[in-house]
Amino acid sequence: MFSFIRHTLRLMRIGYVLARHDALFPFYEAPAPAAVRGAAKLAARIFRGRDLPDRPGVRLAAALTTLGPSFIKLGQTLSTRSDLFGAAVADDLALLQDRLSAFPGDKAFATIEAELGKPIAELYSAIDPKPVAAASIAQVHLATTLDGKDVAVKVLRPGIEAAFERDIALFRWLAALAWRLAPRGRRLRPVEVVEAFADTVRSEMDLRLEAAAATELGENFKDDPMFATPEIDWARTARRVLTLERVAGCRVDDEAKLDAAGHDRQEIMRLAAGAFFRQVFEHGFFHADMHPGNLFVRADGGLTVIDFGIMGRLDRTTRDYLADMLLGMLTRDFELVADVHFRAGYVPAHQSRAAFAQACRSIAEPILGKPLHEISLGRLLQQLFQITQTFEMETQPQLLLLQKTLLMAEGMGRRLDPTVNMWQLAQPLIQDWMRAHRGPEARIASALADIGDAAMRLPRTLSRLERMVETMDPTPKGPARRHVPRPRPSWSMLAAAAAAGGIIAIVLFAIFID
């Protein structure tokens, strides 16, 4: 009862803030009870402020900023869900910046000393008490280590974990309420969305995980001198403190400095597009917060990326499906696009493949009909996700995160040079990858590798079968007991070998008829 009252009172305040910003529009046509929709419209009419922006997404972003850090992060998560509020609102939410007022430097220093177990003087020869950046979760101070290295020190806000847990408890309560009251909206998986949001935020609040992500991404590009991550100072890193190499260079959106330094904007775009493509398709591990403030251009023209709190992962199967999907879209092979969705299980089997292919054509043709430099892969995925309701597609969180990141990367590219498509610049790399990984030879090699893995597991499987047969009790229960010959292990080995041979034959047959 106490939690119900607490959540209800908090909800009333949230409703008031949303109404003041005229940001209750998501409830107007939502799959919710009529009373909820009516209350939202009435509250907006009563409490609406003056001189508000025309764009609803901008009003919603302003309201979420007023509500604080958890809601800013929630808005950034919702920016991936164009299927919820439409592309325009999702684009506006994607521009949410979690810049907040800084907390005092002495509190940051207290956190550093508590986490690292040493006085500041034994950790850094100098550290600026005034932060250079303050966000919703942490702020950054510039410092110099005792051995003279220039570093940046990221420190979590005091009490931020408890504040997020309170808000996440409210979000869970609302999601469960929505699940019960709005059956038509269950395909949007509100409970799963909240849990994914909670997992993301918890990961961001353990700076050791961010340090590990930076290290992993850097190791993936150790053979590429033109793309790098800052070196982590592990001796001065803990759960609430992260110390890393200070990055030198120009922000990628600082056009005046880039031009003054003589950098080639198209070369920057080519490097950024190629690096991102490799992250997604080659490594399956990508930076998922690629706004201009997180990418710097070094004096040698190379790129350095920062802020690894939000990272995305794609397994090999998903990467292959995604590659085939994009290839089908770009070549207007919509039957292939439909086939990929059905094979991946994204669309239920009882739906019509022909109808789905037609729907894909309807959303892709207007985009693909534009000049090459105006084609957006992010927009293509965004439009694709908007037909989810018609075909009962469930949300794919890993692809939504990728779609948001694609849009951010393309927006950055348009700022550098609006007349050039960044993926066009990276076309040779993309073609080489597709030829090496999705061509006929690559498919055969992949299938043979799978068969090899199965063959390596076969002796262990046979051994388990033998042990299972040996431990079987062949004696029937009851008064009449008679001898039942025990199956010989050789028969189990022959049966398993025959099954394995059949699987191999089917796989090879599928390869050559594909």
Side-chain angles (χ1 to χ4, degrees):
M1 177 61 73
F2 178 75
S3 64
F4 175 81
I5 295 173
R6 184 179 72 250
H7 289 324
T8 301
L9 292 174
R10 185 84 190 283
L11 191 59
M12 291 172 64
R13 178 182 177 272
I14 294 168
Y16 172 75
V17 172
L18 291 172
R20 287 286 295 171
H21 289 82
D22 193 15
L24 285 168
F25 60 87
F27 297 96
Y28 296 169
E29 305 296 334
V36 173
R37 300 196 299 272
K41 293 179 181 179
L42 180 62
R45 189 176 304 165
I46 294 173
F47 299 112
R48 187 181 190 278
R50 297 180 179 179
D51 301 324
L52 297 174
D54 292 333
R55 293 174 64 89
V58 174
R59 298 197 301 270
L60 180 57
L64 295 175
T65 301
T66 301
L67 289 169
S70 302
F71 292 84
I72 293 172
K73 289 295 182 186
L74 180 63
Q76 292 171 340
T77 300
L78 293 176
S79 71
T80 67
R81 300 297 304 273
S82 60
D83 57 320
L84 288 180
F85 309 133
V89 173
D91 288 348
D92 289 333
L93 291 179
L95 299 176
L96 265 175
Q97 297 295 317
D98 51 359
R99 299 192 186 97
L100 297 179
S101 58
F103 58 90
D106 58 343
K107 291 188 176 181
F109 293 174
T111 298
I112 293 171
E113 291 180 337
E115 287 290 307
L116 300 181
K118 292 181 180 180
I120 289 289
E122 295 182 16
L123 295 165
Y124 310 100
S125 62
I127 183 169
D128 191 342
K130 184 178 179 181
V132 293
S136 57
I137 288 179
Q139 66 187 30
V140 179
H141 296 259
L142 299 182
T144 304
T145 62
L146 299 178
D147 54 357
K149 293 182 179 178
D150 291 331
V151 294
V153 185
K154 187 172 184 177
V155 187
L156 287 188
R157 286 183 174 274
I160 192 65
E161 297 95 335
F164 267 104
E165 288 301 329
R166 286 195 300 270
D167 288 337
I168 287 170
L170 172 64
F171 298 154
R172 282 201 185 98
W173 182 72
L174 290 174
L177 195 64
W179 177 264
R180 289 196 297 270
L181 297 179
R184 287 190 296 126
R186 289 179 181 176
R187 72 170 189 87
L188 301 175
R189 300 163 69 179
V191 176
E192 287 86 344
V193 168
V194 170
E195 290 305 322
F197 169 68
D199 291 342
T200 298
V201 171
R202 287 197 190 96
S203 296
E204 285 192 77
M205 289 191 294
D206 188 339
L207 298 182
R208 295 169 300 186
L209 297 178
E210 180 173 343
T215 301
E216 181 178 350
L217 185 61
E219 289 178 351
N220 287 344
F221 282 86
K222 61 184 177 182
D223 62 340
D224 186 350
M226 302 306 287
F227 187 86
T229 61
E231 181 181 350
I232 301 299
D233 186 339
W234 285 100
R236 297 175 179 84
T237 292
R239 187 175 64 86
R240 308 188 80 246
V241 177
L242 168 62
T243 303
L244 68 167
E245 174 189 4
R246 194 186 305 179
V247 173
C250 312
R251 274 180 49 140
V252 75
D253 61 343
D254 193 335
E255 300 168 24
K257 286 188 178 179
L258 291 177
D259 293 341
H263 292 301
D264 184 339
R265 295 192 193 186
Q266 290 193 15
E267 178 62 13
I268 294 171
M269 291 172 63
R270 187 189 67 79
L271 290 174
F276 184 70
F277 187 87
R278 285 189 63 192
Q279 289 175 52
V280 172
F281 290 102
E282 186 176 329
H283 307 133
F285 183 61
F286 62 94
H287 194 295
D289 195 16
M290 194 58 71
H291 63 74
N294 285 341
L295 191 63
F296 290 80
V297 183
R298 304 191 305 261
D300 65 352
L303 305 178
T304 299
V305 65
I306 63 170
D307 195 353
F308 310 91
I310 305 177
M311 305 294 291
R313 286 192 187 275
L314 299 173
D315 59 38
R316 183 54 188 264
T317 301
T318 302
R319 281 181 271 161
D320 289 347
Y321 281 135
L322 181 63
D324 289 345
M325 185 197 312
L326 291 176
L327 178 64
M329 283 285 194
L330 294 174
T331 59
R332 290 179 165 85
D333 186 349
F334 300 108
E335 286 74 19
L336 171 60
V337 176
D339 183 59
V340 167
H341 280 77
F342 278 84
R343 279 192 289 118
Y346 298 160
V347 180
H350 66 269
Q351 292 287 341
S352 166
R353 293 192 182 217
F356 186 76
Q358 183 181 18
C360 291
R361 181 184 296 276
S362 72
I363 63 175
E365 288 290 0
I367 295 175
L368 298 175
K370 294 181 177 180
L372 186 59
H373 68 271
E374 294 181 15
I375 291 177
S376 163
L377 296 184
R379 188 73 61 197
L380 203 59
L381 286 180
Q382 187 181 64
Q383 295 287 337
L384 186 62
F385 298 149
Q386 286 183 323
I387 63 174
T388 57
Q389 184 173 8
T390 304
F391 292 92
E392 302 177 74
M393 292 170 61
E394 286 198 344
T395 299
Q396 302 297 322
Q398 74 280 22
L399 295 184
L400 292 172
L401 186 60
L402 174 64
Q403 171 254 317
K404 184 201 82 166
T405 310
L406 278 170
L407 287 172
M408 294 175 72
E410 289 172 339
M412 181 178 64
R414 281 192 296 273
R415 290 198 60 170
L416 286 169
D417 189 342
T419 67
V420 177
N421 185 296
M422 64 187 302
W423 309 116
Q424 180 185 3
L425 295 175
Q427 186 174 356
L429 172 67
I430 295 172
Q431 288 177 333
D432 289 345
W433 188 92
M434 295 294 285
R435 189 179 302 111
H437 293 85
R438 302 307 298 150
E441 299 88 349
R443 292 174 187 267
I444 294 173
S446 178
L448 290 176
D450 291 341
I451 293 170
D453 290 341
M456 292 292 290
R457 293 193 300 269
L458 186 58
R460 193 175 1 176
T461 303
L462 295 176
S463 178
R464 288 175 180 169
L465 283 170
E466 287 185 43
R467 287 198 300 271
M468 186 171 62
V469 169
E470 290 172 356
T471 56
M472 288 172 61
D473 183 5
T475 306
K477 304 298 181 184
R481 300 174 63 89
R482 62 187 182 85
H483 177 68
V484 178
R486 183 175 299 187
R488 293 183 179 181
S490 58
W491 287 110
S492 66
M493 295 174 65
L494 288 173
I503 293 171
I504 292 172
I506 292 170
V507 171
L508 290 174
F509 180 73
I511 291 171
F512 288 110
I513 68 170
D514 187 28

